[in-house]
Amino acid sequence: MGIVGAGPAGLLLAHLLHLEGIDSVIVENRSRQYVTERVRAGVLEQGTVDLMIQSGVGGRLLKEGMRHEGIYLNFQGTRHRIDMAALTGGRAITVYGQNEVVSDLIEARLATGRPLFFEADSVSVHGFDTGAPAIRFQHNQEPHEVRCDFIAGCDGFHGICRGAMPHRSYERIYPYAWLGILAHAAPSCDELVYSLHERGFALFSMRSPGVTRLYLQCAPDEDIDSWPDERIWKELCVRLSTSDGWKPNQGEIFQKGITGMRRFVAEPMRSGRLFLAGDAAHIVPPTGAKGLNLAASDVRNLALALTAFYKSGREQLLDEYSDKSLRRVWKAQRFSWWMTSMLHLSPEGNEFDHRRQLAELDYVTSSRAAMVSLAENYTGLPMD
Ligand code: FAD
Ligand code: DHB
């Protein structure tokens, strides 16, 4: 297997294939430090956690990950708890930073002695429609070619694999973004808080007993320099505080950044012997916490299909890979769209839209059926 990209999708795929005795080469254009320090997702679905544990890379996740059985929805000054475990027969999410997932997977990869190239230049893919696929790249100024049976395009939204194959795409860029921070502050609540305020969305999350992760809705073209720390804390406190006096603890901000929001799907996720997985094929707005989890379910499908091919020559699962993965992708798009539109203020919105959002939140926090739907989607629909 030739794998382009050492994000969660590429690394997990390589690991699952290694366990089945299938050899791979991973080609990544950034440095090891860059990929392990990139601050992104934090919420792992039950199925992603189970996959990591069953495949032997869940040791630190089990020790350091924070299992959450509920989440809060906060609106009009009141926090409402959704007891996800009680509503789903015991399913939960685990808060564990994506950079920790990537670090654990890199350690596991290096321990196998199988190849992983960082800082590869001019990566390109060839021959996947002719039966002789190859990845070409430069490394330390030397040209390299990986000849392989299949290529996995795990190179994220801005990678090169998707553009190399025919596909149809669906895309929308949202008219708002998230400003995210990490702060040295003990989390003041032991579960996540999603908040709709008349000044916009805010989210309380965490990374460890000493680190709080927080997000607030801002304009997509906002300049981070116009957000000094005091302004960020003031806005977060206004949007998150509840009438019982709860608010986030404050501390030194040691990381901040603005991320635009989009939704995107490429169909199909395969062309000949090239398979896309993860953000290379689809992006969801982050409100549903689904991106990393979709990457994990794609590569699980792909690893199963490749294993069946190598063990028995059967191509059926490879043929079904795109449709099977896209079915889950579209459900995650639906859920992420719903969470996003319920919790963000749209610049084109009006008072009617805001009242409708409040009615939606009122419904979701009072109807058992609606709570079950939220809980089963948030903790992750079963992988089939
Ligand atoms: P990536 O992580 O993008 O990895 C792709 C890799 O390919 C990168 O290392 C890149 O350097 C490399 N690459 C790119 N181009 C090339 C090339 N030409 N040649 C070689 N290598 C290349 N998801 C969740 O599930 N839960 C959350 O709570 C969550 N929160 C998020 C919060 C934020 C602020 C953001 C931005 C995202 C969040 N996500 C979340 C989404 C999640 O981070 C992504 O879906 C996830 O990173 C996808 O993994 P991937 O391996 O497919 O892609
Ligand atoms: C986090 C990110 C998300 O996108 C989300 O919906 C919840 C939590 C986080 O980074 O902790």
Side-chain angles (χ1 to χ4, degrees):
M1 253 336 261
I3 300 177
V4 186
L11 290 164
L12 185 57
L13 175 65
H15 177 67
L16 297 173
L17 294 176
H18 164 74
L19 295 179
E20 298 293 344
I22 301 167
D23 203 359
S24 63
V25 176
I26 311 177
V27 181
E28 161 65 50
N29 66 354
R30 300 292 195 145
S31 68
R32 178 177 179 179
Q33 184 180 4
Y34 180 89
V35 298
T36 48
E37 288 181 1
R38 186 165 40 192
V39 177
R40 295 176 86 183
V43 173
L44 305 187
E45 291 175 356
Q46 184 75 55
T48 307
V49 171
D50 294 346
L51 182 60
M52 287 190 64
I53 293 170
Q54 282 155 17
S55 64
V57 284
R60 209 158 61 89
L61 165 65
L62 274 173
K63 264 193 252 129
E64 295 174 22
M66 293 177 280
R67 182 182 153 91
H68 289 191
E69 298 201 336
I71 54 167
Y72 288 92
L73 294 177
N74 178 10
F75 57 102
Q76 295 186 305
T78 306
R79 270 183 301 159
H80 301 256
R81 184 166 188 269
I82 309 289
D83 188 340
M84 298 186 300
L87 292 158
T88 58
R91 293 172 76 78
I93 52 120
T94 298
V95 175
Y96 188 66
Q98 176 169 331
N99 52 318
E100 309 297 345
V101 173
V102 167
S103 298
D104 295 347
L105 289 167
I106 290 176
E107 290 292 330
R109 175 69 181 185
L110 296 179
T112 67
R114 295 199 197 267
L116 163 52
F117 291 89
F118 286 108
E119 298 179 70
D121 287 322
S122 314
V123 181
S124 57
V125 289
H126 306 267
F128 49 86
D129 280 327
T130 66
I135 302 176
R136 293 193 195 124
F137 60 100
Q138 299 271 328
H139 194 251
N140 294 333
Q141 272 105 51
E142 296 281 321
H144 289 254
E145 183 175 75
V146 178
R147 290 195 206 121
C148 43
D149 297 336
F150 301 97
I151 298 172
C154 302
D155 49 348
F157 184 71
H158 299 288
I160 47 100
C161 290
R162 184 180 65 249
M165 59 176 252
H167 64 275
R168 164 172 192 193
S169 58
Y170 304 82
E171 180 168 25
R172 179 188 176 203
I173 297 177
Y174 282 87
Y176 35 79
W178 280 13
L179 189 162
I181 63 159
L182 284 168
H184 290 299
S188 60
C189 173
D190 53 9
E191 292 173 342
L192 273 58
V193 183
Y194 286 84
S195 181
L196 173 67
H197 186 271
E198 60 208 15
R199 295 177 62 84
F201 170 74
L203 169 60
F204 169 90
S205 180
M206 64 201 70
R207 284 294 179 273
S208 70
V211 174
T212 300
R213 173 87 166 136
L214 294 149
Y215 297 97
L216 57 86
Q217 176 185 353
C218 66
D221 54 357
E222 198 92 39
D223 179 3
I224 193 80
D225 292 336
S226 65
W227 284 89
D229 295 0
E230 314 78 69
R231 182 176 174 206
I232 294 176
W233 284 122
K234 195 166 162 231
E235 198 61 33
L236 283 167
C237 285
V238 167
R239 296 191 197 179
L240 284 165
S241 302
T242 48
S243 43
D244 60 5
W246 179 80
K247 57 181 180 2
N249 287 333
Q250 297 186 25
E252 181 211 349
I253 297 177
F254 62 95
Q255 199 273 342
K256 59 178 159 179
I258 293 176
T259 314
M261 284 167 69
R262 74 170 80 225
R263 64 181 191 221
F264 177 87
V265 181
E267 276 183 356
M269 289 168 60
R270 171 191 188 177
S271 177
R273 289 173 165 255
L274 171 61
F275 294 83
L276 300 180
D279 279 14
H282 41 73
I283 297 285
V284 282
T287 331
K290 288 283 164 260
L292 171 59
N293 296 295
L294 282 178
S297 66
D298 286 353
V299 299
R300 178 179 170 275
N301 292 342
L302 189 52
L304 286 172
L306 288 164
T307 302
F309 174 78
Y310 282 110
K311 292 226 160 115
S312 62
R314 276 199 310 135
E315 293 199 26
Q316 189 192 339
L317 293 184
L318 287 173
D319 292 340
E320 290 170 0
Y321 166 75
S322 176
D323 286 350
K324 182 176 173 183
S325 299
L326 283 166
R327 222 177 132 207
R328 188 177 185 85
V329 167
W330 280 110
K331 286 184 201 160
Q333 289 286 0
R334 183 208 70 81
F335 177 67
S336 304
W337 160 82
W338 174 74
M339 285 282 280
T340 302
S341 56
M342 178 170 69
L343 289 163
H344 291 74
L345 290 190
S346 168
E348 299 116 37
N350 52 35
E351 187 57 23
F352 177 91
D353 292 322
H354 190 53
R355 298 295 289 269
R356 180 189 50 76
Q357 288 176 303
L358 292 173
E360 183 92 45
L361 283 159
D362 185 7
Y363 176 60
V364 164
T365 51
S366 54
S367 151
R368 185 179 161 83
M371 282 189 274
V372 169
S373 171
L374 169 57
E376 69 180 14
N377 279 278
Y378 195 79
T379 56
L381 299 173
M383 292 192 194
D384 49 19

